[in-house]
Amino acid sequence: MNSYTIPNDEIQAAAALLRAGETVAFPTETVYGLGADASNPLAVRKIFEIKGRPNYHPLIVHIAAASQLPAWAQSIPDAAWRLAETFWPGPLTLILQRSSQVPNEVTGGQDTVGLRVPDHPVATALLRAFGGGIAAPSANRFGQVSPTTAQHVHDKLGSRVGMILDGGPCRIGVESTIVSLAHGEAVLLRPGGLSVEAIEDTLNKKILLAQPAASKVHASGMLASHYAPTTPIEIHPADELWRRAHQLANLGYKVAVLNLSDNSKRVGSGGITSFQMPLLADEYGRELYATLHRIDHARFDRLLAEAPPSTQEWVAINDRMRRAAQGTANENKISVAGDLPAHDGIKK
């Protein structure tokens, strides 16, 4: 568990801002969240305005303990209590039938609500001081890379946020796993910081995988394009990665390469910078977003990433990389496989 704490007077000041209808960015074990009083529709709308987030895209409500579930959800199944008892506080969001007190602004007009108890001492202290639920998506511009440090929040949102609580780097670095229990069966809506196997072991049954087009429930991070850096990103198998890097570098592109294999001797030409990523999935996840922020800050023209392994522990990483690549593919009219853009110029 992250042992980082901040002075109580800062926590109390942040709680007072939330009660006044303002926003506060705060750390969780996954990423930094942009929080507002979940019971205050006007405050919640500020989240959407600051992020540029579509108002139909639902938010996750953070609560201090599972005992607060009945205030936010109804018809809570036994499976939800079992998962909450096992994994909260932690990187698991449960989608349940909303209670009558939950504003439409939080749920995107759906009859369900996402709830989670975060596992970070600063988040815990804030939730206890505030006393209510805090609606909090990631503290970034909508669709962009999530922040894992307070500096990331400051760089992207700055003075638009009422207050930023600095709780150090996030321990997990990718968002929570989202499981819906709203319609009987347990359905995985988004892989994340908690493994599917752990959930299935607790429930003693397989969970279903959501089909986004047919899903009755929409939740954070389910869009095909999400988590995208401003630098166009392509994903390639290891044996194609460096061929593509040199192809772009020879055209004058400034190229960043996220590699898992030891390919340091293959850099070989100007214009290419290699970022060696960890070989373990949890360590890779902890570093991924921070590395993407660094690459954006350095103004590379293209980011090439070595395709992560396809094993179960890499599911969340593959999900984030695929959605990030889809985002830049849409914006720049390039394919995930990496077709060259129609022009020969360098993106300025």
Side-chain angles (χ1 to χ4, degrees):
M1 182 174 178
N2 191 323
S3 60
Y4 199 99
T5 58
I6 61 177
N8 183 60
D9 58 349
E10 290 188 35
I11 294 293
Q12 295 300 328
L17 278 175
L18 291 172
R19 295 188 196 101
E22 299 300 328
T23 58
V24 173
F26 64 96
T28 75
E29 77 279 25
T30 57
V31 300
Y32 273 69
L34 177 61
D37 180 355
S39 66
N40 182 340
L42 293 177
V44 172
R45 288 175 196 165
K46 291 181 181 179
I47 294 176
F48 291 91
E49 294 167 3
I50 292 170
K51 284 179 61 71
R53 183 183 178 99
N55 60 11
Y56 57 81
H57 206 55
L59 306 177
I60 293 170
V61 176
H62 295 68
I63 55 179
S67 59
Q68 295 179 357
L69 269 177
W72 298 93
Q74 60 182 332
S75 304
I76 303 170
D78 290 341
W81 289 112
R82 204 177 322 153
L83 290 174
E85 180 180 358
T86 305
F87 299 115
W88 281 357
L92 173 65
T93 295
L94 297 178
I95 305 294
L96 301 167
Q97 291 293 325
R98 61 188 275 193
S99 75
S100 59
Q101 84 161 43
V102 183
N104 284 331
E105 285 79 0
V106 168
T107 68
Q110 298 181 102
D111 61 0
T112 56
V113 63
L115 297 158
R116 136 170 149 86
V117 178
D119 186 14
H120 191 290
V122 174
T124 300
L126 178 62
L127 283 160
R128 289 176 177 169
F130 177 61
I134 302 176
S138 54
N140 57 347
R141 294 290 293 172
F142 181 69
Q144 295 184 1
V145 180
S146 297
T148 55
T149 68
Q151 187 63 49
H152 295 159
V153 181
H154 184 271
D155 290 345
K156 295 297 183 179
L157 300 182
S159 61
R160 285 172 288 185
V161 182
M163 185 176 186
I164 301 173
L165 295 175
D166 188 349
C170 296
R171 174 171 52 86
I172 292 177
V174 294
E175 298 80 2
S176 62
T177 301
I178 301 180
V179 173
S180 174
L181 293 163
H183 300 287
E185 293 290 336
V187 180
L188 178 69
L189 300 185
R190 180 181 73 183
L194 179 66
S195 73
V196 173
E197 290 89 346
I199 297 168
E200 290 178 336
D201 287 347
T202 298
L203 296 179
N204 198 28
K205 63 187 296 187
K206 291 288 184 181
I207 62 176
L208 305 175
L209 300 180
Q211 302 300 319
S215 178
K216 297 178 181 178
V217 177
H218 298 282
S220 295
M222 288 184 68
L223 298 179
S225 169
H226 217 81
Y227 313 111
T230 56
T231 308
I233 180 173
E234 304 173 13
I235 303 171
H236 296 279
D239 57 355
E240 297 178 12
L241 186 72
W242 291 98
R243 177 196 63 79
R244 175 61 170 165
H246 287 293
Q247 181 186 30
L248 289 169
N250 289 337
L251 287 170
Y253 281 70
K254 181 182 177 183
V255 182
V257 176
L258 295 187
N259 56 288
L260 285 157
S261 309
D262 184 10
N263 289 308
S264 56
K265 294 181 181 179
R266 300 178 65 179
V267 176
S269 68
I272 301 174
T273 302
S274 173
F275 294 81
Q276 182 71 45
M277 297 298 287
L279 296 176
L280 297 178
D282 58 345
E283 294 179 5
Y284 191 108
R286 192 175 303 124
E287 292 191 19
L288 175 59
Y289 289 160
T291 303
L292 295 182
H293 280 285
R294 286 172 58 199
I295 289 170
D296 277 349
H297 187 72
R299 299 185 180 276
F300 284 88
D301 299 305
R302 189 64 53 85
L303 166 59
L304 307 185
E306 181 176 340
S310 56
T311 53
Q312 191 63 38
E313 61 265 31
W314 289 85
V315 167
I317 302 299
N318 276 292
D319 174 81
R320 301 308 188 271
M321 297 293 283
R322 175 177 57 82
R323 294 179 196 271
Q326 186 63 45
T328 51
N330 289 343
E331 182 178 344
N332 295 279
K333 303 298 187 291
I334 60 173
S335 72
V336 174
D339 294 334
L340 279 171
H343 60 83
D344 291 328
I346 301 175
K347 178 178 68 67
K348 299 294 185 182

